[in-house]
Amino acid sequence: MKTVGNIIWLLFGGLLTAAEYLVASFILMITIIGIPFGLQTLKLCILALWPFGRTVTDSGNGGGCLSLLMNVIWICVGGFWICLTHLGFGLLLCITIIGIPFGRQHFKMAALALTPFGKNIA
């Protein structure tokens, strides 16, 4: 069922979302300061490409102060708005019974979009 869900996800917006994250990642990686943020956007791209069957976990070391600082910068610059977008799509999809699994994937992406530093995708 995971494969079927991922294929439906790709056809109805997942591929476009992943492409947007990939382009944003390349734009962020133009500057040296943007490279860590571009790598986190690649995490979102990977999750947007094939979300069913994947889980977002905290990294074992917790990330420390640098991870916290980078998450605060991320939230202030754009992570908050990305999170709100995924929450909105998740709520919209959860209106129908068929859309609930896809809404849950958006909620998973919203959590990663809010604080991507110190998280892993398994």
Side-chain angles (χ1 to χ4, degrees):
M1 278 315 273
K2 293 178 207 174
T3 306
V4 173
N6 282 322
I7 290 171
I8 293 170
W9 174 270
L10 280 176
L11 293 176
F12 292 105
L15 194 59
L16 181 64
T17 305
E20 289 172 346
Y21 281 130
L22 188 64
V23 169
S25 177
F26 287 140
I27 290 171
L28 284 167
M29 287 188 196
I30 290 173
T31 64
I32 292 174
I33 295 171
I35 290 174
F37 299 103
L39 292 174
Q40 300 311 311
T41 311
L42 277 177
K43 266 190 211 177
L44 288 164
C45 175
I46 291 168
L47 188 62
L49 198 57
W50 209 253
F52 287 92
R54 294 193 179 199
T55 57
V56 178
T57 59
D58 289 327
S59 62
N61 60 4
C65 292
L66 184 61
S67 178
L68 177 68
L69 177 66
M70 296 298 268
N71 277 328
V72 169
I73 294 170
W74 175 271
I75 289 170
C76 292
V77 172
F80 179 74
W81 300 109
I82 297 170
C83 178
L84 282 181
T85 303
H86 283 297
L87 285 175
F89 281 128
L91 289 173
L92 188 66
L93 285 167
C94 284
I95 291 173
T96 65
I97 294 174
I98 295 171
I100 290 174
F102 301 103
R104 290 183 64 212
Q105 299 309 314
H106 273 290
F107 295 146
K108 181 173 28 174
M109 291 181 68
L112 183 63
L114 190 60
T115 56
F117 289 92
K119 303 275 173 84
N120 293 327
I121 298 173

